[in-house]
Amino acid sequence: MNIKELTIPRLGESVESVQLVRYTKNIGDFINEDEVIAEVSTDKVDSDVPATNAGKIIEFKYNEGDEIKVGEVFAVIELGNFQENNSKKEETTEKEITVEEKQKTVHQSIETSQFLSPLVKNIIQKENLTATDINQIVGSGHDGRISKNDVLNYIQKKTNVSSSFNNSVISASSFGAKDEIIEMDKMRQLISKHMKKSKQTSPHVTAYVEPDVTNFVKWREENKTAFQTKYNQKLTFTPMIVDCVVRAIKDFPMINVSVDETETKIIKHHTINIGIATALPNNNLIVPVIKDANELNLEGLAKNVNAIVDKARHNKLSPDDIRGGTFTISNVGTFGNLMGTPIINQPEVAILATGVIKKKPAVLETEFGDIIVARQFMYLSLSFDHRVIDGSLGGVFLKRISDYMENWDMNTKF
């Protein structure tokens, strides 16, 4: 028998394992090359795993819900272009009737919505969801479209309603009669593991500066309309901050590194790939990446920032959109926060948090003496990995970002 073992592909530099969401085929099914055989989930994005060869599925190594390391064998197929022999069909068995009845129920259910993809329909069929169930699912996709995550989250919540108290490891004394137990969705569970592992891996140190960003703010205010007219791109503060960060990384390239698995070697990255931490409508967080940011001008940065943020918020990111980051920026000012102490996005070694911009009284020195005026300020906080970045390097790097923002050239052209 000529067989082929299928392995979990690498979905990003920091991804060491995935959670098997579900198989899209059954043992004994025939599958074509590049046809999806399984869905997996990481802390960053959900992905489909295609078959690398055509053949007949003869074994699954893991169960749905299991965690699988990258590179591990999860399925085995017998190679060949098989076709079912229609001439040998037997009378319909009780099992086949059951399947037919299920499919009929599904078809009746999915008629309640015109925005269900084949993948979503397959999940609905397998889980025997009714029209009532589907109507209770709130779609997070474009135009309210129901995504596979929406369906899976609904199924998980529905299942946990009856089992949460029986299987809970929370002691009875830790919650009251009116308290609600909320199960984490799969993405939140994986984010939790990723953040915990980051703190366990890297000794975090956080430094702070408070730059005067008056000119930074003023230049954007004076040019945002012309910028959008010329490039059809919205000019937010984010691409301007990315520009300052990239320039600072060029000055201090040892910030743009990672540590190998043996913790004995430093990997110095040639390209500067900036991750932009983005909040999703479901309150989870994802970090899409601007590739080769060191090669982009302000127009290119604005275009890329707008594109990846839009894709993230509409659940359209691909695995390539979230892999390869070398430095991350998290804008906590979006939520009105003054500052934050961000957790490093492994395997990177530093992350910048930007706070809200606020007017404050400031003392300025003039030839006529000191004067008090209103200026724009914001906090920058840099968390860095003390294994490879000492306080001096982390401090001067953060100050350099601050300097570029404070000294933003009011004559900057675009």
Side-chain angles (χ1 to χ4, degrees):
M1 181 185 298
N2 191 11
I3 65 171
K4 174 69 177 180
E5 295 181 332
L6 304 183
T7 60
I8 297 295
R10 180 163 291 279
L11 300 175
E13 290 180 336
S14 62
V15 177
E16 297 179 358
S17 63
V18 302
Q19 186 174 44
L20 178 62
V21 177
R22 63 180 58 248
Y23 291 109
T24 59
K25 297 285 185 178
N26 298 311
I27 293 177
D29 285 352
F30 305 100
I31 192 166
N32 297 318
E33 183 178 353
D34 294 328
E35 188 176 357
V36 175
I37 187 173
E39 301 168 52
V40 298
S41 179
T42 74
D43 61 315
K44 298 177 179 179
V45 71
D46 293 342
S47 298
D48 295 329
V49 178
T52 56
N53 300 82
K56 178 182 178 181
I57 301 171
I58 59 175
E59 183 181 4
F60 288 140
K61 297 284 188 179
Y62 291 89
N63 296 320
E64 294 175 351
D66 287 350
E67 187 167 336
I68 314 175
K69 291 183 178 180
V70 170
E72 288 289 323
V73 176
F74 72 95
V76 180
I77 62 174
E78 181 183 354
L79 297 179
N81 294 315
F82 297 95
Q83 292 184 350
E84 296 183 87
N85 188 350
N86 293 326
S87 63
K88 294 183 178 181
K89 285 188 176 179
E90 299 178 354
E91 295 181 358
T92 303
T93 63
E94 181 179 351
K95 180 179 179 181
E96 288 172 331
I97 293 174
T98 302
V99 170
E100 184 176 312
E101 290 175 346
K102 287 182 179 179
Q103 290 176 336
K104 182 178 180 180
T105 302
V106 170
H107 290 317
Q108 292 173 343
S109 299
I110 64 178
E111 286 175 0
T112 64
S113 174
Q114 62 191 51
F115 300 112
L116 300 181
S117 68
L119 179 57
V120 169
K121 291 178 181 178
N122 180 61
I123 299 173
I124 290 172
Q125 176 180 337
K126 187 169 184 179
E127 299 295 335
N128 296 321
L129 297 186
T130 66
T132 301
D133 290 319
I134 298 171
N135 288 333
Q136 293 180 31
I137 301 174
V138 178
S140 62
H142 181 64
D143 291 334
R145 182 169 183 172
I146 296 175
S147 70
K148 64 177 180 181
N149 284 336
D150 298 327
V151 178
L152 295 176
N153 289 338
Y154 174 81
I155 294 169
Q156 187 178 51
K157 290 177 182 178
K158 182 179 179 182
T159 302
N160 288 330
V161 166
S162 60
S163 63
S164 60
F165 282 95
N166 294 332
N167 299 324
S168 175
V169 296
I170 304 174
S171 64
S173 61
S174 64
F175 61 87
K178 295 183 178 180
D179 292 345
E180 179 184 5
I181 298 175
I182 301 174
E183 295 286 341
M184 294 183 183
D185 60 27
K186 289 183 173 61
M187 179 175 282
R188 176 50 55 186
Q189 291 177 33
L190 291 167
I191 290 174
S192 174
K193 291 180 181 179
H194 188 59
M195 293 295 96
K196 182 179 178 181
K197 182 178 179 181
S198 179
K199 294 290 284 188
Q200 293 172 337
T201 301
S202 300
H204 283 55
V205 177
T206 305
Y208 304 87
V209 291
E210 188 183 20
D212 180 337
V213 293
T214 304
N215 287 346
F216 191 78
V217 173
K218 184 178 180 181
W219 183 88
R220 174 184 172 268
E221 196 63 31
E222 292 177 351
N223 291 277
K224 63 181 182 180
T225 301
F227 189 92
Q228 184 158 6
T229 299
K230 183 175 182 178
Y231 298 120
N232 194 30
Q233 293 292 331
K234 185 178 181 181
L235 180 62
T236 65
F237 286 117
T238 301
M240 297 171 63
I241 294 171
V242 172
D243 178 76
C244 294
V245 168
V246 168
R247 284 191 279 167
I249 290 176
K250 289 179 179 178
D251 295 338
F252 300 99
M254 288 306 293
I255 295 291
N256 199 50
V257 304
S258 57
V259 181
D260 80 333
E261 294 180 356
T262 68
E263 297 192 69
T264 61
K265 297 180 177 64
I266 296 174
I267 304 168
K268 185 178 179 182
H269 302 293
H270 174 71
T271 58
I272 300 174
N273 300 332
I274 304 295
I276 306 296
T278 305
L280 300 177
N282 61 4
N283 295 321
N284 285 325
L285 191 71
I286 200 163
V287 186
V289 177
I290 302 173
K291 304 292 177 59
D292 300 309
N294 49 308
E295 302 294 334
L296 300 174
N297 58 15
L298 196 58
E299 176 202 354
L301 291 173
K303 181 178 180 180
N304 277 268
V305 167
N306 293 338
I308 62 172
V309 170
D310 182 72
K311 289 175 70 175
R313 289 173 178 167
H314 290 87
N315 199 30
K316 293 182 178 180
L317 289 172
S318 68
D320 188 60
D321 290 325
I322 50 90
R323 65 162 60 107
T326 61
F327 186 93
T328 294
I329 299 172
S330 180
N331 182 8
V332 300
T334 299
F335 316 110
N337 299 146
L338 285 175
M339 66 180 77
T341 53
I343 298 176
I344 297 167
N345 185 24
Q346 300 291 334
E348 300 164 17
V349 296
I351 179 172
L352 178 76
T354 59
V356 68
I357 298 174
K358 295 189 71 173
K359 280 187 178 181
K360 292 183 179 182
V363 178
L364 297 184
E365 297 180 357
T366 72
E367 57 181 313
F368 306 106
D370 294 346
I371 59 173
I372 297 177
V373 296
R375 303 285 289 180
Q376 301 268 17
F377 289 90
M378 75 182 301
Y379 283 103
L380 303 178
S381 50
L382 180 77
S383 292
F384 52 91
D385 187 339
H386 216 339
R387 292 179 302 169
V388 291
I389 301 178
D390 292 329
S392 58
L393 175 57
V396 295
F397 169 71
L398 179 60
K399 183 60 169 60
R400 186 61 54 87
I401 298 173
S402 173
D403 290 343
Y404 281 133
M405 295 179 69
E406 281 195 340
N407 301 315
W408 185 270
D409 186 359
M410 294 298 293
N411 296 314
T412 298
K413 304 296 181 183
F414 52 82

